[in-house]
Amino acid sequence: MGQLEDMKVFIRVVEAGGINRAADQLSLAKSAVSRRLVNLETRLGVRLLNRTTRTSSLTEEGQSYYERVIKVVDDIAEINTLTADSNTSLEGTINLAAPLSFGLCHLSNAIDAFMKQHPELTINIDFSDRKVDLVEEGLDLAFRIANLKDSSLIARKISDIKHILCASPDYLKEHGTPKTPSDLKNHRLLHYNLSGTSIWKFIDNKGKQHSINVSAKIIANNGDYLKDMAVAGHGIVFSPTFISWKAIAAGDLVPILSDYKLPQLKAYAVYPQTRYLSQRTRVLIDFLVERFGDNPCWDQNIIY
Amino acid sequence: MGQLEDMKVFIRVVEAGGINRAADQLSLAKSAVSRRLVNLETRLGVRLLNRTTRTSSLTEEGQSYYERVIKVVDDIAEINTLTADSNTSLEGTINLAAPLSFGLCHLSNAIDAFMKQHPELTINIDFSDRKVDLVEEGLDLAFRIANLKDSSLIARKISDIKHILCASPDYLKEHGTPKTPSDLKNHRLLHYNLSGTSIWKFIDNKGKQHSINVSAKIIANNGDYLKDMAVAGHGIVFSPTFISWKAIAAGDLVPILSDYKLPQLKAYAVYPQTRYLSQRTRVLIDFLVERFGDNPCWDQNIIY
DNA sequence: TTCATTGTTCACAAATTGAGAACTATAAAA
DNA sequence: TTTTATAGTTCTCAATTTGTGAACAATGAA
């Protein structure tokens, strides 16, 4: 008994690339996963996975079984959400990944509010700036701050992410306030090295683009740290407003080059390309879009 | 746990028209069926069946859930048979219905042979000449002797069914042997009243059709009984050869009007219009087609 | 009204499931 | 080559789920 559950376990094993990892992702003992697989294989009378002690690979039958089964499981998920009463409180687990700074600053509050609306839900968050593979890690949802062009993933915009150039008043008093992007060459710059580029781009009020190659004094993979360094007077930081807004509101940081436009990014909720999103995930995304939207709290009441 | 099993139980409840009957057909306690339904409904948060103590009717949600779920369950059955190793011995239960005479005379031997090939199988036969509703009674298969024109059922021809007119030598000695169909009007006729008509049709060797209206001396709903009555000299019977062949071979009955052709019927295996037949059912049908075919044992070595 | 039948609920027994440890096997490292 | 680390299997035990059958409640029919 439990055909469907066996199928789901099998799918997870295939996508996680092994029984151990699948067991982790499913929060199951590996013995249980192993047994479900054996059950499935004996019921079908077919070997689905060739497993050595080190690697698991699909057999030919396993491959075609996987392709068929994934569709059906998807169909059932669809049927469930279609006929499930949307008024009942959600339950189950949402596994998600979020970037460190954005996650801790803003997502955590939002999810706290969401959990109060749906106390039966379990949320499992992986805060990290590394690139996560949704399918392989069995996640329902991840947040990306980017200009998405890819991919096999489906994305929904959660919010605009603005950037701003700023420094502490002390620093500006000592080193002067730059008036043009090229002035930055004579300043101490603080750079976020996960942005994928070491070039800062500006567009002036005539629409002309200016670029400078950043040779930074402090380089880090954490925007909060860079912001703190800027507050401490270590130089000029190119910072997303969701990180620096409080320091700016408090006067600890002063925006500079405000007449220039900086490239905008967007925060996305991305999820795997299953045809149908589970209801709980969809409701969470709706909640976040509603909460952040085009005018998120950190960009309100502030004129940069 | 056991989502798929819940769905299957739900389907059976809908098609059987109630929890009690579904429990019978599934060989489950009705309490178990009831609980599975409750589970399903609480999981979905939706009432699927409006059940009073006397009737069960689908709610609107139940209706659409049923339609969706039946497709998916069908898909899974297909996947299973597609990937299941066809060399493994079959298991599970086949529920089937068969007409009384044909079933007892011929099917029983065939199924005996089939069971020896597949000892893990369970076969559940309902011998009866009443009209069975495959879906409502949860049958996998039924046999019909007819000239099928309907229906929502899918049918596969198992064998030709020939008919023959015959009587005992004693009877013929006493009453004379008819030479034309119209001669029958002066004879004692034995009639099978489930044939749906009381007209016997003949085609002579020039292709011309003759009909006579049967006013029979003995009427019964059992072909074996009529054959036995004919052997005992009670008159002329219009009998399928699968019933009368032995008596003819033994000389207890003598074919008459052999130059006339009688209407032929066919034996069919019919099964519900699910897109995919379970492997065990399909294998049984193949076996029977192979065994009977166009020249079944009872029509061999006999010239009528 | 009474009766027959259907579905629900309950307590208990049986079966299934998961956890965790011990064990086996093998690829990679030394 | 030997050693080591890791992936998968198997085992036992506890927890959960499932099925059973009886008692119960509800309702349409006589």
Side-chain angles (χ1 to χ4, degrees), chain A:
Chain A
M1 255 146 260
Q3 273 233 48
L4 181 65
E5 290 69 27
D6 289 349
M7 291 178 177
K8 285 182 180 170
V9 166
F10 169 70
I11 290 175
R12 198 94 298 281
V13 170
V14 172
E15 293 183 348
I19 290 181
N20 254 326
R21 275 198 281 174
D24 276 358
Q25 293 177 13
L26 293 163
S27 303
L28 272 176
K30 57 182 179 171
S31 58
V33 175
S34 174
R35 189 160 58 199
R36 291 216 103 117
L37 264 188
V38 171
N39 282 351
L40 192 58
E41 290 184 328
T42 46
R43 178 161 47 227
L44 293 170
V46 157
R47 190 148 196 84
L48 297 172
L49 280 147
N50 274 321
R51 16 200 204 284
T52 68
T53 51
R54 214 52 173 237
T55 44
S56 290
S57 66
L58 281 168
T59 63
E60 207 172 316
E61 292 89 352
Q63 177 66 35
S64 64
Y65 185 70
Y66 171 74
E67 283 161 14
R68 294 190 232 265
V69 134
I70 202 158
K71 261 187 53 198
V72 174
V73 169
D74 214 42
D75 287 347
I76 291 179
E78 180 197 7
I79 292 174
N80 285 339
T81 64
L82 280 179
T83 78
D85 179 9
S86 44
N87 297 324
T88 50
S89 94
L90 300 176
E91 56 182 31
T93 303
I94 305 180
N95 296 295
L96 59 89
L100 203 60
S101 296
F102 185 73
L104 291 176
C105 282
H106 300 288
L107 224 47
S108 57
N109 294 330
I111 284 178
D112 177 50
F114 185 71
M115 291 295 286
K116 280 182 182 136
Q117 282 182 27
H118 302 283
E120 298 303 308
L121 264 179
T122 305
I123 301 244
N124 182 358
I125 315 184
D126 173 14
F127 290 111
S128 143
D129 286 330
R130 81 198 152 77
K131 258 204 173 167
V132 293
D133 183 320
L134 292 191
V135 173
E136 239 186 48
E137 305 187 29
L139 296 170
D140 301 300
L141 192 62
F143 291 88
R144 297 264 162 85
I145 292 178
N147 242 323
L148 277 191
K149 288 168 213 159
D150 39 354
S151 77
S152 69
L153 300 166
I154 301 182
R156 175 116 175 255
K157 184 185 141 189
I158 297 289
S159 175
D160 285 316
I161 300 293
K162 290 181 184 146
H163 285 81
I164 196 164
L165 218 59
C166 49
S168 74
D170 289 351
Y171 173 88
L172 294 177
K173 197 179 293 171
E174 189 177 336
H175 298 83
T177 301
K179 298 293 178 232
T180 69
S182 51
D183 290 348
L184 292 173
K185 287 174 188 160
N186 304 315
H187 280 269
R188 303 176 70 85
L189 305 182
L190 312 181
H191 185 59
Y192 180 69
N193 65 357
L194 294 181
S195 66
T197 173
S198 57
I199 296 173
W200 291 356
K201 291 180 180 169
F202 303 84
I203 296 174
D204 64 27
N205 48 23
K206 289 172 193 134
K208 195 182 162 204
Q209 183 168 317
H210 305 255
S211 303
I212 72 153
N213 218 312
V214 179
S215 104
K217 289 297 173 194
I218 298 181
I219 297 174
N221 65 356
N222 183 285
D224 275 299
Y225 169 78
L226 292 173
K227 181 258 299 172
D228 290 341
M229 289 299 102
V231 169
H234 285 282
I236 297 174
V237 68
F238 181 97
S239 174
T241 55
F242 71 79
I243 287 182
S244 47
W245 65 297
K246 269 193 182 166
I248 292 170
D252 294 331
L253 288 178
V254 179
I256 59 178
L257 293 179
S258 311
D259 355 341
Y260 291 84
K261 277 189 192 157
L262 305 186
Q264 279 208 11
L265 295 179
K266 290 176 175 128
Y268 294 95
V270 298
Y271 46 92
Q273 198 172 36
T274 60
R275 248 179 314 151
Y276 301 98
L277 208 52
S278 80
Q279 201 196 6
R280 47 181 175 274
T281 308
R282 185 159 36 76
V283 171
L284 172 58
I285 295 175
D286 288 344
F287 177 89
L288 294 173
V289 169
E290 168 76 19
R291 183 178 171 106
F292 295 124
D294 287 332
N295 190 22
C297 59
W298 59 85
D299 278 344
Q300 283 167 12
N301 309 319
I302 298 210
I303 304 131
Y304 299 108

Side-chain angles (χ1 to χ4, degrees), chain B residues 4 9 20 71 79 81 114 136 146 164 168 209 241 251 254 292:
Chain B
L4 181 64
V9 167
N20 252 327
K71 261 187 51 196
I79 292 175
T81 65
F114 186 70
E136 239 186 48
I164 195 163
S168 73
Q209 183 169 315
T241 54
V254 178
F292 295 125

Side-chain angles (χ1 to χ4, degrees), chain B residues 105-292:
Chain B
C105 282
H106 300 290
L107 224 47
S108 56
N109 293 330
I111 284 178
D112 178 48
F114 186 70
M115 290 296 284
K116 282 183 182 138
Q117 281 182 26
H118 302 284
E120 300 303 308
L121 265 178
T122 305
I123 301 243
N124 183 357
I125 314 185
D126 174 14
F127 291 108
S128 143
D129 285 330
R130 80 197 154 77
K131 258 207 174 166
V132 294
D133 184 320
L134 291 192
V135 174
E136 239 186 48
E137 305 187 30
L139 296 170
D140 301 301
L141 192 62
F143 291 88
R144 297 264 162 84
I145 292 179
N147 243 323
L148 278 190
K149 286 168 212 159
D150 40 354
S151 76
S152 67
L153 300 167
I154 301 182
R156 176 117 174 254
K157 183 186 142 192
I158 297 289
S159 175
D160 285 317
I161 301 292
K162 291 181 182 146
H163 284 81
I164 195 163
L165 217 60
C166 49
S168 73
D170 288 352
Y171 173 88
L172 293 175
K173 197 178 291 174
E174 187 175 340
H175 296 83
T177 301
K179 299 293 179 231
T180 67
S182 51
D183 289 349
L184 293 173
K185 287 172 188 162
N186 304 314
H187 279 268
R188 304 177 69 85
L189 305 182
L190 312 180
H191 186 59
Y192 180 69
N193 65 357
L194 294 180
S195 66
T197 172
S198 59
I199 296 174
W200 292 355
K201 291 180 180 169
F202 304 83
I203 296 174
D204 64 25
N205 48 24
K206 289 172 191 135
K208 196 181 162 203
Q209 183 169 315
H210 306 255
S211 303
I212 72 153
N213 219 312
V214 180
S215 105
K217 289 297 174 195
I218 299 182
I219 297 175
N221 64 356
N222 184 285
D224 275 298
Y225 170 77
L226 293 172
K227 182 257 300 172
D228 290 341
M229 290 300 100
V231 169
H234 285 283
I236 297 174
V237 67
F238 181 97
S239 173
T241 54
F242 71 80
I243 287 182
S244 48
W245 66 296
K246 269 193 184 167
I248 292 172
D252 294 333
L253 287 179
V254 178
I256 59 178
L257 292 178
S258 309
D259 355 339
Y260 291 83
K261 278 188 193 157
L262 305 186
Q264 280 207 7
L265 296 179
K266 290 176 176 131
Y268 295 95
V270 297
Y271 44 93
Q273 197 173 37
T274 60
R275 248 180 314 150
Y276 300 99
L277 206 52
S278 80
Q279 201 196 4
R280 50 180 173 273
T281 308
R282 185 159 37 76
V283 172
L284 172 59
I285 295 176
D286 287 345
F287 177 88
L288 294 173
V289 169
E290 168 76 19
R291 183 178 172 106
F292 295 125

